[in-house]
Amino acid sequence: SSITLSKVDKHITIEGDNDYHITAIIDMLQNRSISRKVSLKTYKYNNIEKASGMKVRQKIDLQSGITKENSKHINTFIKDLKLKVNSQIQGEQIRVSGKKIDDLQNIISELKNKNIGIPLQFVNMKK
């Protein structure tokens, strides 16, 4: 069995003798990710495919940043909360600014409760 990381293509390739080996490696990968506080939503699993010989292969795509569809969805969700904040899409990030810290904390808690399907990270840039 083998596991390789492609930083350029942002995916992990797992090769094994059978499906059981693949699931064992995925289980180890998930346990290591949890211990390193990496969200499991980062991994997007593709189908298991046959490789050369009697081996099987599975690709796992790594998600980074927020896509345009997800950023628009999150932005409308923030606007629907009707709090006095401004939200802007900046590349692969969404910047939310407001006068009251309580409003920003409410947005963070609401986003954590809503299942968006992507891992979210929150950075407090208080000046």
Side-chain angles (χ1 to χ4, degrees), residues 4-64:
T4 55
L5 169 67
S6 174
K7 291 184 180 179
V8 176
D9 297 332
K10 295 182 180 176
H11 73 268
I12 299 171
T13 305
I14 300 172
E15 289 189 20
D17 293 334
N18 53 29
D19 293 349
Y20 177 72
H21 286 218
I22 299 287
T23 55
I25 292 173
I26 289 173
D27 188 41
M28 287 189 293
L29 176 68
Q30 289 176 347
N31 288 334
R32 299 291 172 122
S33 298
I34 290 170
S35 66
R36 288 176 174 81
K37 297 182 181 171
V38 175
S39 175
L40 295 180
K41 293 179 183 177
T42 304
Y43 304 123
K44 183 179 177 188
Y45 299 98
N46 295 327
N47 293 332
I48 296 176
E49 56 191 33
K50 295 196 183 262
S52 61
M54 298 294 288
K55 296 199 176 239
V56 291
R57 176 186 315 135
Q58 183 174 16
K59 281 189 178 179
I60 302 171
D61 296 328
L62 301 174
Q63 297 181 15
S64 65

Side-chain angles (χ1 to χ4, degrees), residues 86-102:
N86 294 326
S87 59
Q88 303 170 332
I89 300 171
Q90 294 181 340
E92 294 183 341
Q93 298 178 350
I94 295 178
R95 182 182 181 116
V96 180
S97 58
K99 289 185 179 180
K100 294 182 181 178
I101 294 176
D102 292 339

Side-chain angles (χ1 to χ4, degrees), residues 75-124:
N75 205 3
T76 55
F77 177 73
I78 291 172
K79 301 252 187 221
D80 289 341
L81 292 176
K82 301 199 179 197
L83 297 172
K84 292 186 179 181
V85 294
N86 294 326
S87 59
Q88 303 170 332
I89 300 171
Q90 294 181 340
E92 294 183 341
Q93 298 178 350
I94 295 178
R95 182 182 181 116
V96 180
S97 58
K99 289 185 179 180
K100 294 182 181 178
I101 294 176
D102 292 339
D103 291 342
L104 299 175
Q105 289 175 347
N106 286 339
I107 290 172
I108 290 173
S109 66
E110 290 292 330
L111 285 173
K112 283 182 180 178
N113 291 338
K114 185 174 175 67
N115 187 10
I116 296 175
I118 58 173
L120 296 176
Q121 296 175 343
F122 302 99
V123 180
N124 186 5

